[in-house]
Amino acid sequence: TETSTKSSYGIPVSFGAGVKVDISDRWSIGTGLNYTILSRQFYGKYTQINANGGIDNSLSSDIRNVQQYVGIPVNAFYDMISNERISLYAYAGGSVEKCVSDKYDVLSTNIVHTEKPKGVQMSANLGIGAEFKLGQHLGLYVDPSLRYYFDCGQPKSIRTAQPLMLGFEMGLRV
């Protein structure tokens, strides 16, 4: 149980792989697979309930919560400028992510509690970007964006506390 109104949040970190397929001279569709780690720390009370419904253990401590998500983004890209070396584009789309791990560490002990969140996290995004072509089918990209995370009943995180966020992605694209 969280007993403080203050949580400190870590910077969300994501890794992923994606593909982008041209559907015309200026339009393309992209998708992939992303892995994201979210973290926060708060002060709370840990209560261990036994099989009979009685309390076995109860203590207050700082608690660290780490969530891991796996998601599938889908984006539509419009090339504003494109040649054999660089592409400047605008994009919009969304993502569906599933929380695959929700772990709580009671920091003053060795107690670890895990939960299995239900449902998925949905988000929408729009941004601009640049892709520097390294070869015929490989590019290095930089994508700043604005993303909104919808209220989908997911565990408390930076996404539920501040659903509208600026994002910055970079990586390799096939």
Side-chain angles (χ1 to χ4, degrees), residues 25-26 77-82 87-91 127-130:
D25 287 345
R26 293 200 178 261
F77 297 86
Y78 178 76
D79 288 339
M80 297 178 289
I81 298 172
S82 185
S87 176
L88 300 175
Y89 51 86
Y91 65 96
I128 57 172

Side-chain angles (χ1 to χ4, degrees), residues 36-59:
T36 301
I37 299 173
L38 304 175
S39 65
R40 74 181 177 115
Q41 191 165 318
F42 60 93
Y43 191 79
K45 184 174 185 178
Y46 173 79
T47 306
Q48 185 175 11
I49 308 295
N50 62 33
N52 299 329
I55 296 174
D56 278 348
N57 188 8
S58 180
L59 60 103

